[in-house]
Amino acid sequence: MIPTHIEHIGIAVKDLEASIKYYEDTLGMKCYAIEEVKDQKVKTAFFKVGQTKIELLESTDPSGPIGKFIEKKGEGMHHMAFAVNNIEEKLQTVKERGVRLINETPRKGAEGLQIAFLHPKSTNGVLTELCEKKEEQ
Ligand code: ZN
């Protein structure tokens, strides 16, 4: 089972407002949603490019994953997310092939997606997210 498309690319930013301005005023894209994901300690802003989204991530707490990322590496591309049709099955498959999982079971991400992260040590340094849109949510 192959991913259907790149669902989104996550970019860690220090200042969400200023970054939204760049994407809107300079690149001409339109922010269509801003959402806080409390258990990830982030505020997110979404843009669409075709069926792929750009997800800007601003940390709401220095101890959260984006806060730590920016502290260590500065702003920049944080992760890439593939849309899959059966996230539980896909997680099982990659695990069987030796990929280290950050999330053993899917959890709830922004936009009501079920998401799970694969460890960058197993994925050529790219923090990789699998996600699935579940209709019943
Ligand atoms: Zn994401």
Side-chain angles (χ1 to χ4, degrees):
M1 186 193 8
I2 61 167
T4 54
H5 60 282
I6 294 176
E7 215 283 334
H8 62 270
I9 293 173
I11 298 170
V13 302
K14 283 184 181 161
D15 182 338
L16 198 63
E17 286 299 310
S19 307
I20 289 172
K21 239 175 119 34
Y22 160 71
Y23 279 88
E24 290 196 328
D25 298 351
T26 307
L27 294 183
M29 291 152 65
K30 183 93 192 82
C31 175
Y32 70 90
I34 292 180
E35 188 183 336
E36 190 170 343
V37 183
K38 288 234 161 75
D39 67 277
Q40 282 300 293
K41 297 176 176 156
V42 288
K43 215 166 127 189
T44 62
F46 286 96
F47 299 83
K48 258 189 194 129
V49 189
Q51 67 174 334
T52 301
K53 297 160 193 163
I54 301 290
E55 176 185 34
L56 303 181
L57 302 147
E58 180 193 69
S59 180
T60 56
D61 186 324
S63 73
I66 295 299
K68 285 189 198 150
F69 177 87
I70 287 179
E71 158 107 42
K72 233 164 88 182
K73 299 189 169 169
E75 293 184 296
M77 191 178 145
H78 179 257
H79 67 275
M80 179 156 65
F82 294 110
V84 297
N85 287 325
N86 186 336
I87 190 166
E88 286 88 356
E89 192 185 313
K90 193 74 187 166
L91 275 176
Q92 198 51 44
T93 306
V94 298
K95 190 180 174 181
E96 279 162 13
R97 304 221 168 149
V99 171
R100 190 166 142 198
L101 305 181
I102 293 175
N103 307 110
E104 293 278 332
T105 53
R107 56 180 179 74
K108 197 166 175 284
E111 299 197 303
L113 294 173
Q114 288 292 306
I115 66 167
F117 284 96
L118 315 184
H119 200 282
K121 285 231 159 75
S122 299
T123 58
N124 305 98
V126 179
L127 177 59
T128 300
E129 178 183 344
L130 300 179
C131 54
E132 180 177 18
K133 197 165 190 81
K134 299 253 182 179
E135 296 309 328
E136 67 273 13
Q137 288 191 342

